[in-house]
Amino acid sequence: MVSDRPGRRPRLAAFAAAALLVLTPAVASCSDDGEGRSSDLETSAPPGTTAETPDTAEPDDPAAARAEITANWTAFFDPKTPVAEKVGLLENGERMREVLGAFAGDKNASMTSAKVTGVAFTSATGANVTYDLLVGGSPALPGAQGTSVLQDDIWKVSVKTLCGLVELSGVTVPGC
């Protein structure tokens, strides 16, 4: 059972992982195309470094890209954002619509949000994102690492980031 007492981060982290566990049945129905594996998440570089030798280290307007990434991540993890909008904020979002719908319907997920604390570009179309996963406004997973990708001229949350969060529950599912 989750404690309502403030300062109980281990229990909040467990609560957040439990909230993400609801995604498992929906994610299991996704096809596995080899993209977005958790090993990709594990090999991402820490903020301020690059994971690969980029052609261009950052987009033409890094300040605007950073602002868009922050806004899109905040909206994506906002429980009030409609699923249709979240689909547009997630890499290959249409294929993950069922997962997002399951997440939106969970009462525990309605308390989960994210706060971007850092963006480091790995290329003109990729970035490492540092963020705090919040439950009820309190950090449950502070300093979490994810990635953002430029797809269809929109900076989106990567599928590997979403799948990495799902896998925190200890479950490996097809499509992730």
Side-chain angles (χ1 to χ4, degrees), residues 46-65:
T49 61
T50 58
E52 56 191 54
T53 305
D55 294 330
T56 304
E58 56 186 33
D60 291 336
D61 188 347

Side-chain angles (χ1 to χ4, degrees), residues 58-109:
E58 56 186 33
D60 291 336
D61 188 347
R66 192 171 282 109
E68 182 179 343
I69 289 168
T70 300
N72 289 351
W73 274 61
T74 300
F76 179 79
F77 285 101
D78 185 339
K80 295 176 185 152
T81 301
V83 171
E85 187 176 334
K86 288 183 182 199
V87 166
L89 297 174
L90 179 66
E91 175 188 26
N92 302 323
E94 194 56 50
R95 291 191 329 205
M96 302 296 282
R97 182 179 288 276
E98 190 175 344
V99 173
L100 296 173
F103 188 67
D106 181 68
K107 70 176 184 145
N108 295 327

